[in-house]
C-alpha cells in the first residue's frame, strides 16, 4: 500500500501523512454512533434537570457545546479506554460496532501491515479526542484528550514492559484537522532515544528536552498521521470556533507487550492464523467490561510509573 517514497519518509522523518485512508461510509457510521450516544446522555441530563427543552434542530455539535458550557462530564462516556485512576464498576466508556469497524478497517490494517508486518494486535492505549474551542474550556481542564496536548513520545506513556515492542500510532481524523483547530505537530527526524518526561499538567517531555523544530500536520477527515513510538509530538491549541475530532489508534506486533497489560488487547489481523482475528465487537466490549470490574475491585495499577516529578530534569 505504501510507496517506497512514503516508506523512506516514515523511516527518515518519523511520521507520514496519508489522506483518504478511511472511506466516507465508515466515517458516517462513527459520527452516527456518537450522535446516538450523545442523545442518550442528553436524555439523562434532561431527566436530571440539567438541561432544558432542546430545539428540534439542535444537532450533535450544538448539544456538545451545551455540555462543555454546562460543565457536564461528556468526555469519558465517549472514550474507548478507561481513565488512569478512580475506576469504578460504573465508569462510562464506549465500545460500539462503528468504532470497532474503524479500528479494524482494511485500509488502516493494510498500512499498518506495511510498517510492522501481518501479525497485528490492537493496542489498548488508544483514545477518542474531541477538542472544543480552547476559549470554551475552563482553566482547570488539563486532559490531553480535550485540551492541547503537551509534547510527548508514545513510548513515554507506556509501561517499561513495552520498551522493545514494535508498534505504530495511527492518528485518524474524523473532522478536518487544521492548524487553526489544533492539528498534530511533530518533531521530524529518525528519533530513537526516549526523552525524559515529567508529570506536570500532563505527562510530557521535560522542558529542557522539548524539540526546537516542529512541523504541523494538517489532514482531512478520513486521513491520518502515522508515526512510531519515539517520535515527539504535541497538538496545537484549537483557536477555531468549532470542534476538532480524531482517534488515536495504536497497533503492535502480536505477542509483544502492549505497555498497559491491565487493559485488553485483541488480534486485529493475522496472516499466519486468520481465524484468530477478532471480528465481533461485542466480545471487544465484554473484554473491557471485565477489565473495568477487575480494576474497580483490585489494587491501583500505575500507568505512568516510570516518571517522577522528583527527577533532576523535572526541577
Amino acid at each position: 500500500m505504501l510507496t517506497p517514497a512514503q516508506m523512506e519518509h516514515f523511516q527518515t522523518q518519523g511520521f507520514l501523512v496519508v489522506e483518504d485512508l478511511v472511506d466516507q461510509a465508515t466515517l458516517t457510521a462513527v459520527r452516527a454512533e456518537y450522535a446516538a450516544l450523545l442523545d442518550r446522555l442528553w436524555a439523562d441530563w434532561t431527566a436530571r434537570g440539567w438541561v432544558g427543552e432542546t430545539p428540534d434542530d439542535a444537532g450533535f455539535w450544538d448539544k456538545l457545546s451545551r455540555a462543555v458550557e454546562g460543565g457536564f462530564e461528556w468526555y469519558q462516556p465517549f472514550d474507548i479506554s478507561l481513565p488512569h485512576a478512580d475506576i469504578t464498576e460504573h465508569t462510562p466508556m464506549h465500545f460500539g460496532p462503528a468504532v470497532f469497524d474503524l479500528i479494524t478497517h482494511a485500509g488502516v490494517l493494510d498500512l499498518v501491515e506495511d510498517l510492522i508486518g501481518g501479525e497485528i494486535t490492537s493496542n489498548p492505549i488508544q483514545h477518542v479526542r474531541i477538542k472544543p474551542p480552547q476559549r470554551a474550556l475552563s482553566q482547570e481542564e488539563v486532559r490531553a484528550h480535550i485540551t492541547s496536548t503537551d509534547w510527548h513520545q508514545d513510548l513515554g506513556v507506556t509501561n517499561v514492559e513495552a520498551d522493545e515492542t514494535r508498534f505504530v500510532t495511527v492518528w485518524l481524523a474524523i473532522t478536518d484537522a487544521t492548524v487553526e483547530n489544533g492539528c498534530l505537530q511533530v518533531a521530524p527526524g529518525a528519533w530513537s532515544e526516549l526523552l525524559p518526561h515529567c508529570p506536570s499538567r500532563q505527562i510530557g517531555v521535560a522542558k529542557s528536552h522539548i524539540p526546537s523544530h516542529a512541523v504541523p500536520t494538517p489532514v482531512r477527515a478520513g486521513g491520518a498521521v502515522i508515526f512510531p513510538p519515539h517520535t515527539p509530538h504535541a497538538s496545537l491549541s484549537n483557536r477555531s470556533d468549532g470542534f476538532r475530532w480524531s482517534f488515536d489508534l495504536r497497533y503492535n506486533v502480536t505477542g509483544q507487550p502492549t505497555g498497559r497489560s491491565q487493559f485488553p488487547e485483541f488480534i486485529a489481523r493475522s496472516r499466519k492464523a486468520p481465524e484468530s482475528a477478532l471480528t465481533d465487537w461485542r466480545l471487544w466490549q465484554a473484554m473491557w467490561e471485565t477489565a473495568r470490574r477487575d480494576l474497580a475491585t483490585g489494587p491501583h495499577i500505575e500507568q505512568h510509573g516510570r516518571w517522577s516529578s522528583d527527577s533532576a530534569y523535572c526541577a
Side-chain angles (χ1 to χ4, degrees), residues 33-222:
E33 186 168 282
Y34 271 82
L37 172 56
L38 183 55
D39 284 346
R40 293 194 294 272
L41 292 171
W42 194 266
D44 179 62
W45 297 335
T46 301
R48 294 172 183 266
W50 295 356
V51 294
E53 187 174 341
T54 308
D56 292 338
D57 60 350
F60 180 81
W61 299 120
D62 299 315
K63 293 177 180 178
L64 195 55
S65 294
R66 288 276 302 278
V68 173
E69 293 167 2
F72 307 150
E73 179 46 66
W74 57 271
Y75 174 74
Q76 185 53 49
F78 279 9
D79 200 17
I80 55 173
S81 184
L82 287 165
H84 71 278
D86 301 322
I87 297 169
T88 74
E89 293 187 54
H90 303 290
T91 297
M93 52 186 181
H94 176 66
F95 298 94
V99 175
F100 183 80
D101 288 347
L102 183 72
I103 292 172
T104 59
H105 189 280
V108 173
L109 296 182
D110 287 345
L111 182 150
V112 172
E113 182 171 354
D114 283 349
L115 296 172
I116 67 171
E119 304 308 308
I120 302 171
T121 282
S122 174
N123 187 290
I125 310 177
Q126 49 192 11
H127 298 278
V128 63
R129 295 181 186 266
I130 300 183
K131 302 208 172 190
Q134 192 68 31
R135 57 171 175 72
L137 297 176
S138 72
Q139 295 292 327
E140 288 72 35
E141 182 55 80
V142 298
R143 287 176 288 182
H145 318 306
I146 299 175
T147 187
S148 57
T149 307
D150 294 344
W151 281 101
H152 68 284
Q153 296 163 295
D154 280 353
L155 192 61
V157 294
T158 66
N159 288 328
V160 294
E161 66 183 27
D163 279 359
E164 302 303 319
T165 293
R166 190 178 177 194
F167 64 84
V168 65
T169 295
V170 178
W171 190 97
L172 184 62
I174 305 301
T175 59
D176 291 349
T178 66
V179 171
E180 184 184 21
N181 71 15
C183 70
L184 202 69
Q185 56 178 340
V186 303
W191 294 80
S192 58
E193 175 189 8
L194 178 59
L195 301 174
H197 287 56
C198 295
S200 182
R201 187 183 81 130
Q202 302 163 8
I203 299 293
V205 174
K207 290 181 180 179
S208 58
H209 288 72
I210 290 176
S212 58
H213 178 53
V215 175
T217 58
V219 63
R220 296 189 303 271

